[in-house]
Amino acid sequence: MATVNDNYLKLKAGYLFPEIARRVNAFIEANPDAKVIRLGIGDVTEPLPQACRDAMIKAVEDMGDRSSFKGYGPEQGYAWLREKIAAHDFQARGCDIDASEIFISDGSKCDCGNILDIFGDDNIIAVTDPVYPVYVDTNVMVGHTGDINEKGEYEGLVYLPVTAENNFTAEIPSQKVDLIYLCFPNNPTGATATKEHLQAWVDYARANGSIIFFDAAYEAFITDPSLPHSIYEIEGAKECAIEFRSFSKNAGFTGTRCALTVVPKNLIGKAKDGSNVELWKLWNRRQSTKFNGVSYIVQRGAEAVYSEEGQAQTRALIDFYMENAKIIREQLTVAGLAVYGGENAPYVWVKTPAGLTSWDFFDKLLQACNVVGTPGSGFGAAGEGYFRISAFNSRDNVNEAMRRIVEKFK
C-alpha cells in the first residue's frame, strides 16, 4: 500500500478558514433566515478595475488571432510586466531591483510555501506569533517541525510573540535563526514596521547569514509616508531578503490570480559542503520545472495596473477599503472594544471582551450579530484573546455589521 507524508498528520484538525466556513455553514443551516455578514476571510468584493478588464478583453482577442496568439509564456513572467513592476514598485522608491530579479506567479500565498523547495531541512525558522497560518503549516508539511503542543506551537519553530504589550513589534531573537518570516503591514494584526525596525532585522540577518521572507502583500494600504513599502528600501536588504507581493488586494485579483516574488541575484545560501549558492538560480530552476507561468491574459490585466487609468482605479479601490477600516475602527471603539490596526492595513485587530476566548467571541458575534470574523487563536498562541475583522466588503455590509455590533455590545 502507498504510504503518506506523515507530516500532514501533525497539522491541526482543520486549516483556519475551512473551520470558519464549517461553523458558519452549520449556523446558516440552523438559521436559514439569518442575514450573515462575512468580515472574516480577507477576500475582496469590489469589481476589477476597468483598466484591467479592458486589457484582459483585448488579450482574449489576441488569443483569437493566429498572429497574436500566445502559447506557453516564460515561466518567470513576460518581460513587459516585470519591467513595469520594477520601475513603479521598486525603482521609483529608490530600490535597486532589476526586472530580471522578479518572478511572476499565481499568488504570494503559493510562493510563501513553494519557496521552501530551495532551502534545506536543517534551517532554524522564526515566525511571529500571531502569524499568517500558511507560513507555519507549509513548514509542517515539508517536515521542518516536530509535533504540536497544547498551546498550539510546533516543536522546532522559534515563535516571536507580538501583542499589545510590545506594541505588536517582535523582538530580534537572542538566538541564531536561519529563515525569518516577516509580514508588514501585518496580517492579522494590522501593525506596521518603521524603517528603523526593519533595519534592525536586516542587520541581524546579515550578521547571522539569515534570509528574511518579507511578505508585502498589503503594502499598497500604507497611508503613512514615513513607512517603508518594501524591505529593499532598507540598506543591505538585497543581501538577505526575498520579498513577496500580490495583485490580490490592491487590484482585486483574489480570483484572477497574479503575484510576484523578488529574489535578488546577489542573494546567497550555503550548500552542505559549505560552498556558496545563488538562490536566484535555484528559484529559477524550481519555477522552470514546477510552474508553467501565469496566463498571458492575466498578465496583461496586471500590466494595466501601471497605466494612468489603472493607478487611479486601484487607488480608488484601496481608499474604499481603508474607509471601511476607518468605519470599523470607529464603531468598534464606540462599542467599547479595544482595537488596533486598520490605519495602514485593511485589518482591524480586536481585543476580545470580558475574558472571552477567540473562538467564544467568534460564536457570540455569529449568533448575536450574525457577523463573521476570524478568531485570533487561529493565527497562533499569542493571538488568543484577539479577533480579526476584515475591511474587505461592501460599504452597506460594513455599516450594517457595525450597527449590529454596537447595538449588542455598547
Side-chain angles (χ1 to χ4, degrees), residues 86-97 195 230-235 238:
H88 286 79
D89 290 344
F90 297 100
Q91 294 163 10
R93 292 190 174 277
C95 305
D96 182 23
I97 296 298
K195 288 184 178 180
S230 169
I231 190 75
Y232 302 119
E233 294 179 51
I234 309 304
E235 184 179 354
K238 283 194 69 174

Side-chain angles (χ1 to χ4, degrees), residues 75-76 103 283-292:
E75 291 91 349
Q76 193 177 342
F103 293 79
W283 184 244
N284 188 58
R285 183 68 163 89
R286 190 269 173 204
Q287 293 297 84
S288 298
T289 302
K290 290 189 173 184
F291 186 56
N292 271 335

